[in-house]
Amino acid sequence: MKMWSISFRIWHWIHAFVVLSLLATVFLRKTFLSWRANSEILASNLLTMDVDITGEQAEILAKAVRSPMWEWHIMFGYALSLLIFIRMLLFFTTSGKQNFINLKSLNLHKKMVSLGYIGIYSILVFMSISGLIMSFHEELFLVKETVHDIKEVHEFVFNAVWIFVSLHIAGLIVAENTDEKGIVSDMINGGK
Ligand code: HEM
Ligand code: HEM
């Protein structure tokens, strides 16, 4: 039997794509589509055309430019929530348990890797629940202040996501080049 079933591999790669896309939307929001930077660009360019707008109007325009991109954050967010639910179901399969059985017999490094996976799953569960609460705050009758507090925590925990992804990819490069050759191709062809 393959080490990673086809369903687990498909899940991993779609999940990786969705998490990287979520990070990309945050990157765009904080850089090229930052409303602060773009409102200044819009206001100063309009001024050269003799159109004088207030800071508030510039903010509205800059946020309108950002809005279609940010809709992707919400869409990928729903996709992530569904993928996390599917991952819970995959725990009942051999591949889904692979990294979490016989933990005691593993060396310290492997134990840390498995703990890291449990850590990232907990973080992604938090990101999904907090994200869904923000998206459905009207239906949940939440006041603005509560949504704002949730957003602050959601935004802070985002750091844990990019740190995990960076460590995961760096760790795999090291593993491929030392004692775990083929670890990445195993996740592509299923391994033995
Ligand atoms: C794009 C480059 C990526 C590559 C080449 C890659 C490759 C792999 C490989 C080879 C494994 C198995 C490692 C092992 O058995 O310890 C794995 C596991 C895992 N990867 Fe990735 N990955 C990538 C991106 C991501 C991203 C962006 C995430 C998002 C959080 C992610 C989340 C995970 C998780 C949670 C596991 C553990 C699976 C489990 O046993 O439950 N990966 N990845
Ligand atoms: C990998 C997972 C996720 C990461 C790294 C992430 C990251 C972030 C960050 C950094 C912000 C704050 C942006 C800013 O104000 O500059 C944010 C806001 C938000 N996220 Fe996520 N998020 C994730 C998952 C989700 C999920 C699953 C949902 C659910 C649909 C979601 C919905 C939202 C919403 C509604 C906001 C508030 C947007 C606003 O106030 O305009 N996120 N996210």
Side-chain angles (χ1 to χ4, degrees):
M1 203 166 68
K2 297 261 186 200
M3 181 181 173
W4 300 111
S5 63
I6 183 73
S7 49
F8 194 91
R9 278 176 276 154
I10 292 173
W11 174 87
H12 174 271
W13 291 115
I14 295 177
H15 174 254
F17 172 74
V18 167
V19 172
L20 289 173
S21 303
L22 277 161
L23 291 175
T25 59
V26 176
F27 172 76
L28 287 175
R29 182 177 170 130
K30 293 192 183 290
T31 57
F32 300 108
L33 290 171
S34 149
W35 72 259
R36 279 189 184 82
N38 285 349
S39 59
E40 277 169 32
I41 297 173
L42 285 165
S44 60
N45 274 276
L46 283 170
L47 203 56
T48 61
M49 299 167 194
D50 289 328
V51 182
D52 194 3
I53 59 167
T54 64
E56 248 170 54
Q57 288 170 324
E59 181 183 332
I60 292 170
L61 289 178
K63 285 188 174 169
V65 171
R66 184 193 70 187
S67 173
M69 183 286 294
W70 194 251
E71 276 168 25
W72 284 93
H73 185 83
I74 312 299
M75 289 304 151
F76 282 121
Y78 293 151
L80 178 69
S81 308
L82 179 66
L83 285 162
I84 291 296
F85 175 71
I86 295 172
R87 180 65 186 89
M88 289 175 185
L89 301 179
L90 286 170
F91 264 114
F92 297 101
T93 66
T94 314
S95 295
K97 287 191 258 222
Q98 194 88 252
N99 274 313
F100 311 99
I101 41 173
N102 301 325
L103 273 185
K104 278 196 187 132
S105 63
L106 299 177
N107 64 29
L108 183 67
H109 169 74
K110 287 263 180 185
K111 272 190 192 128
M112 297 304 285
V113 170
S114 296
L115 271 179
Y117 291 147
I118 292 172
I120 190 65
Y121 285 138
S122 315
I123 285 162
L124 293 175
V125 166
F126 171 79
M127 293 308 271
S128 301
I129 294 174
S130 54
L132 289 174
I133 291 176
M134 286 190 284
S135 288
F136 292 101
H137 68 275
E138 277 174 16
E139 288 80 356
L140 295 167
F141 304 108
L142 292 179
V143 292
K144 233 179 161 186
E145 289 72 29
T146 314
V147 182
H148 179 260
D149 291 347
I150 296 172
K151 188 182 154 183
E152 295 272 290
V153 188
H154 184 88
E155 190 173 359
F156 177 72
V157 178
F158 139 77
N159 291 296
V161 179
W162 72 257
I163 291 171
F164 168 84
V165 172
S166 314
L167 288 177
H168 182 54
I169 294 172
L172 288 165
I173 294 172
V174 172
E176 269 291 339
N177 285 291
T178 52
D179 55 344
E180 287 183 274
K181 285 191 180 32
I183 188 173
V184 175
S185 45
D186 282 352
M187 192 49 98
I188 297 170
N189 61 37
K192 280 194 222 82

